[in-house]
Amino acid sequence: KGVEDTAFYRYLRFTALNEVGGDPGHFGVDPDELHRWCIRQQANWPDAMTTLSTHDTKRSEDVRARLAVLSEVPAEWSAQVTSWRAASATYRSPLLDANTEYLLWQTLVGAWPIDAGRLTAYLEKATREAKRRTTWTEPDEAYDEAVRTFAEAVLADAEITASVSAFVERLAPAFRANVLSQKLLGLTVPGVPDVYQGCDLVDLSLVDPDNRRPVDYRARVERLAALDDGEAPRDLDDEKLLVVSRTLRLRSEQPRWFGSSSTYQRIDTTTSHAFALGRSDRAVTVVSRLTTGLRDGFSDETVSLPGGTWNDLFTGEAYADDTPLARLLDRLPVALLVRAE
């Protein structure tokens, strides 16, 4: 309780890391470390749950996916926050501390677009859980009002919100890659995947009760029906639903490829901007990573597929041997390949 529900609301250097079971001091892992983790999981805990979002996560998987892009563009992010702080100076009460304001800017970017009701409710919970200036049992009404008024003023400022929107749009390609890559990994690494309610589409929820809002299942049924009828994905929501539905169907049809008796293979790529793994020599996952560093795309980089022909469940294309990543990941930043019979 003291860590997740107090310290995680105080130490706000990079809130994507402030997650249940996480470590704010640990900035990710490299591909070799992830392969080692997968091998250990398959050997020791093949039936453990793998998930990216739950009822208790501090931010949804996709909020974290967008915030993660900030770690790839630190100079641009620093300049952007400096600009927003200057633009909002007249709204800032002397009671508003810089730590809470920095939380607001991270939250705006991570959950954008967000309305004043959701933002102010989140900030109230975050500041009271932090227990530095206000608490649930002894609220400081003047401080609470200063935080709420600042957040509302920022969202009412057309120039600031236009700037936030434009910045988020610049992050969109890398955000897309993160959303789809982490989802496909979560569904295919050793373990039993869990998809939290609503997270079959892009979900930009914050901590509860924000992440317990009603889910529009009718919209999901309609989107899935269109994909099943052969329509191309229209947006990132469709792309995520395509990844989730096709991967879970494969697991349902071929449980032995992914279960406790399955095997795990490391698949090599020629670049640190892609990661690949194999399951039971029957399925291969390929995802992109750190894509802001791909100035010229994947160029001549390849992934070394095991012998034979492999079909991508998402696009229907066939591949073999040392496959160019530029071709494999041309339509989507991820691929799920199944060995052709």
Side-chain angles (χ1 to χ4, degrees), residues 93-317:
S93 163
L95 295 176
L96 179 63
D97 56 294
N99 205 39
T100 297
E101 184 182 344
Y102 189 46
L103 173 63
L104 178 146
W105 297 122
Q106 291 184 74
T107 303
L108 270 185
V109 169
W112 190 260
I114 186 171
D115 60 40
R118 289 180 60 211
L119 180 60
T120 56
Y122 170 74
L123 291 173
E124 179 182 73
K125 177 166 184 173
T127 52
R128 291 186 177 184
E129 293 286 329
K131 296 179 275 292
R132 276 186 162 160
R133 301 288 297 276
T134 186
T135 69
W136 293 112
T137 55
E138 297 181 21
D140 183 328
E141 294 183 4
Y143 175 79
D144 291 343
E145 179 64 21
V147 173
R148 181 168 52 252
T149 299
F150 182 77
E152 291 172 344
V154 164
L155 285 179
D157 188 308
E159 290 188 8
I160 294 177
T161 55
S163 177
V164 171
S165 184
F167 179 68
V168 168
E169 184 61 28
R170 291 198 296 276
L171 302 181
F175 171 60
R176 173 180 179 246
N178 284 355
V179 166
L180 300 180
S181 293
Q182 70 175 6
K183 199 62 184 177
L184 181 57
L185 281 177
L187 296 172
T188 56
V189 296
V192 179
D194 176 83
V195 179
Y196 182 62
Q197 60 182 27
C199 290
D200 36 16
L201 303 187
V202 176
D203 182 271
L204 298 174
S205 296
L206 301 168
V207 73
D208 67 276
D210 195 59
N211 62 5
R212 301 177 191 180
R213 289 171 293 156
V215 176
D216 187 347
Y217 288 107
R218 180 180 297 277
R220 286 159 172 77
V221 168
E222 293 173 352
R223 284 178 178 270
L224 184 57
L227 293 172
D228 287 345
D229 285 341
E231 293 186 19
R234 297 165 295 174
D235 53 22
L236 184 53
D237 279 324
D238 274 358
E239 290 176 342
K240 189 177 182 185
L241 184 58
L242 179 73
V243 168
V244 171
S245 62
R246 299 309 186 258
T247 307
L248 290 181
R249 286 174 184 173
L250 178 65
R251 291 190 64 119
S252 177
E253 294 164 359
Q254 304 292 347
R256 293 183 180 179
W257 295 4
F258 301 93
S260 57
S261 62
S262 65
T263 59
Y264 177 89
Q265 293 84 40
R266 173 185 178 131
I267 305 295
D268 290 327
T269 70
T270 59
T271 173
S272 62
H273 291 288
F275 178 87
L277 62 87
R279 302 306 310 275
S280 301
D281 199 35
R282 291 290 182 175
V284 170
T285 288
V286 184
V287 301
S288 51
R289 62 188 296 270
L290 304 177
T291 56
T292 61
L294 289 170
R295 303 302 181 188
D296 300 314
F298 281 107
S299 187
D300 297 327
E301 307 292 354
T302 62
V303 56
S304 298
L305 298 177
T309 301
W310 297 81
N311 297 323
D312 187 352
L313 284 189
F314 304 146
T315 66
E317 298 290 333

